[in-house]
Amino acid sequence: MKYILQKLVLFVLTLWAAVTLNFVLPRLMPGSPTDAALAKLSQNGPVTDATKKAIEAQLGVPSGNLWDQYVSYLHQVITLDFGTSYTFYPQPVGDLVSKALPYTLILVGLVTIIAFVLGTLIGVGAAWKRGTWLDSLPTLSGSFMSTFPYFWTALLLLFFLGYVLHWFPTTGAYSATSTPGFNGAFLGDALQHAVLPAVTILVTSLGGWIIGMRNAMINTLGDDYVTFAEANGLRGRTVAIRYAARNAILPNLTGFGLALGGVVGGSVLVEQVFGYPGIGYLLFNAVIGQDYPLMQALFLMITVSVLIANFIVDVLYGVLDPRTRR
């Protein structure tokens, strides 16, 4: 309990620091949405002070000194009311996030779990059969795939499988003629649109899990308790899974926690390339449009999800490895 309380206090302090940085960073960016709107209006003639004030009031631009803005921002965080989006005016930020979040959670979240499970299992097998083709093939393949950037792999798949072969749709989460709903036609259409983004994330992330688990597994296989288990005549599968893999998975578990925390942020480049309406696509448009309310809401979601994932991993580490509680 003392260990958990220590981690909880650290979580709260880190969350406060992250919330404060989330407030400060957008305000350090040059320019503002009002400046962008005024620049467009100035092309048709001079802009009066009354027009500028009207635009600021319409966009809900923060007013007052920095401390008053900070207090108002903390109230918004507590009440989960982030106001109206500048970029997608007059839609509320909460509505935009609630529409985009399911797409990212299903796409990035599910693919992250699949990549972790597959990579871990392949890494265990490669380490156990080290020195054979069952080791060299996945290791070389994983090293090769992990060198590909997200956007480059996405563009290749988009060009060959989308534009050349016409096997899969090239943009969006579903067709313009589809009506969203829990029915076979829409789910099939949505699944077809998600194939290329999902394959991109899977291909570029799988290699890291394979190599990481293989290296950790090989180090664990040289420990005394594994040698003792083999000397007692235990089956190879039992030694590999219950003894070696159970301890070797701890470093990968940390990476998995960070990856799950990053799910909410989505894959900005992948979603942008495929025009997939998830959190990453929304975040890109918020930054381009200098949309403070939307940026703050999305940054806060990403930060909180990463902190929660780290807290859960810390607690699991304390359960799986009692040495960390000392």
Side-chain angles (χ1 to χ4, degrees):
M1 183 59 67
K2 182 180 179 181
Y3 173 80
I4 295 177
L5 288 176
Q6 290 175 345
K7 294 298 181 181
L8 186 60
V9 170
L10 181 61
F11 169 80
V12 173
L13 292 176
T14 308
L15 178 61
W16 171 79
V19 168
T20 303
L21 285 175
N22 190 37
F23 167 80
V24 173
L25 290 179
R27 286 162 175 78
L28 295 178
M29 296 176 60
S32 69
T34 305
D35 296 334
L38 291 176
K40 294 179 181 179
L41 289 176
S42 63
Q43 296 176 358
N44 300 322
V47 180
T48 63
D49 292 338
T51 302
K52 180 178 179 180
K53 292 180 180 179
I55 292 175
E56 290 178 347
Q58 186 180 29
L59 294 177
V61 175
S63 58
N65 57 46
L66 200 61
W67 174 254
D68 293 337
Q69 293 181 30
Y70 182 64
V71 173
S72 176
Y73 165 73
L74 291 179
H75 180 265
Q76 288 179 327
V77 170
I78 295 173
T79 58
L80 299 179
D81 179 18
F82 293 95
T84 304
S85 170
Y86 299 162
T87 307
F88 302 94
Y89 185 85
Q91 297 187 58
V93 170
D95 292 348
L96 292 170
V97 173
S98 63
K99 291 178 182 177
L101 186 59
Y103 291 108
T104 294
L105 289 179
I106 294 174
L107 174 66
V108 185
L110 187 59
V111 174
T112 299
I113 294 174
I114 293 174
F116 172 74
V117 173
L118 283 178
T120 299
L121 292 177
I122 295 174
V124 169
W128 189 249
K129 298 293 183 179
R130 60 190 182 279
T132 67
W133 69 270
L134 291 175
D135 176 26
S136 58
L137 180 61
T139 302
L140 292 176
S141 301
S143 301
F144 182 69
M145 291 187 297
S146 61
T147 59
F148 291 165
Y150 278 103
F151 68 91
W152 190 77
T153 305
L155 290 173
L156 282 181
L157 294 175
L158 185 67
F159 178 74
F160 287 107
L161 301 183
Y163 289 106
V164 177
L165 299 176
H166 302 287
W167 287 358
F168 301 100
T170 58
T171 186
Y174 54 88
S175 302
T177 56
S178 297
T179 302
F182 290 98
N183 54 75
F186 173 75
L187 293 178
D189 184 44
L191 180 62
Q192 191 177 17
H193 280 74
V195 168
L196 290 183
V199 171
T200 300
I201 299 172
L202 181 64
V203 167
T204 52
S205 61
L206 185 60
W209 296 120
I210 294 175
I211 296 172
M213 188 62 192
R214 175 191 176 274
N215 293 340
M217 183 78 172
I218 288 178
N219 290 333
T220 305
L221 288 174
D223 291 341
D224 293 338
Y225 64 90
V226 176
T227 304
F228 182 74
E230 292 175 335
N232 283 335
L234 296 179
R235 292 188 305 172
R237 181 180 301 178
T238 302
V239 175
I241 301 300
R242 293 189 178 182
Y243 288 83
R246 183 176 179 180
N247 291 277
I249 201 174
L250 290 176
N252 255 25
L253 187 63
T254 302
F256 181 59
L258 294 175
L260 283 182
V263 163
V264 176
S267 296
V268 178
L269 295 177
V270 173
E271 292 185 0
Q272 184 64 25
V273 170
F274 292 104
Y276 201 79
I279 295 296
Y281 183 79
L282 198 63
L283 179 60
F284 177 84
N285 286 280
V287 173
I288 294 298
Q290 296 179 329
D291 191 340
Y292 292 162
L294 186 55
M295 276 193 292
Q296 288 181 161
L298 294 176
F299 288 155
L300 184 63
M301 284 181 55
I302 296 170
T303 302
V304 171
S305 63
V306 171
L307 290 177
I308 291 176
N310 285 338
F311 177 73
I312 293 175
V313 168
D314 284 340
V315 174
L316 287 177
Y317 247 83
V319 174
L320 296 176
D321 190 355
R323 294 173 298 177
T324 60
R325 300 198 298 264
R326 296 175 184 175

